[in-house]
Amino acid sequence: MSEPTTPSVLFVCVHNAGRSQMAAAWLTHLADGRVEVRSAGSAPADAVNPAAVAAMTEVGIDMSTERPKILTVAAVRASDVVITMGCGDTCPVFPGRRYLDWKLDDPAGQGVEAVRPIRDEIERRVRALLAELGIEAA
């Protein structure tokens, strides 16, 4: 009998500074090591959005050491599920990958008050994704 494989998920948005970082942080937190998590952007920003960091800190998740990363073909190829964040990003398509597009407001330039509802919607979607993957949220 073969060992079960760990599913891998890649979150993509243009700057990899807000939505995709929050989604990766939620999935990392809720999957508790049972999912390989990546995030990237086609034109990464210099730093993660401070309002997104603050909003995640409010729920006990520290994103302060995260940095935006460039989207690579290797990251897409290594992922079972690729989730774009409603930002019209172009992403390489490979057979056998599942592609989803989560249309979410962009937290860029917003204060923490505006980011909270985005954070909460991302949590809801990440919990639903875990359920689809057959993984109980931690």
Side-chain angles (χ1 to χ4, degrees), residues 62-81:
D62 181 9
M63 292 188 346
S64 63
T65 61
E66 295 299 323
R67 298 288 171 255
K69 296 164 282 303
I70 188 75
L71 177 64
T72 65
V73 170
V76 176
R77 190 172 278 140
S79 301
D80 300 309
V81 181

Side-chain angles (χ1 to χ4, degrees), residues 127-138:
R127 287 182 180 278
L129 176 66
L130 280 170
E132 290 172 22
L133 295 172
I135 297 171
E136 188 175 330

Side-chain angles (χ1 to χ4, degrees), residues 3-135:
E3 290 290 316
T5 60
T6 301
S8 59
V9 176
L10 169 63
F11 295 101
V12 180
C13 67
V14 173
H15 299 297
N16 188 223
R19 295 167 289 189
S20 57
Q21 289 282 351
M22 288 190 291
W26 271 120
L27 186 54
T28 298
H29 178 75
L30 294 171
D32 196 28
R34 295 168 290 166
V35 176
E36 187 177 350
V37 182
R38 298 177 181 86
S39 71
S42 57
D46 293 330
V48 174
N49 180 334
V53 172
M56 294 301 285
T57 299
E58 290 178 349
V59 295
I61 298 173
D62 181 9
M63 292 188 346
S64 63
T65 61
E66 295 299 323
R67 298 288 171 255
K69 296 164 282 303
I70 188 75
L71 177 64
T72 65
V73 170
V76 176
R77 190 172 278 140
S79 301
D80 300 309
V81 181
V82 178
I83 301 173
T84 57
M85 310 306 275
C87 45
D89 210 26
T90 56
C91 186
V93 176
F94 295 99
R97 284 1 164 237
R98 180 176 172 205
Y99 292 88
L100 301 170
D101 184 36
W102 290 358
K103 294 192 183 328
L104 298 160
D105 291 336
D106 188 349
Q110 303 289 330
V112 71
E113 300 80 21
V115 175
R116 286 183 188 120
I118 301 166
R119 172 201 65 201
D120 296 345
E121 176 61 16
I122 290 171
E123 178 190 12
R124 186 189 69 71
R125 292 179 190 212
V126 166
R127 287 182 180 278
L129 176 66
L130 280 170
E132 290 172 22
L133 295 172
I135 297 171

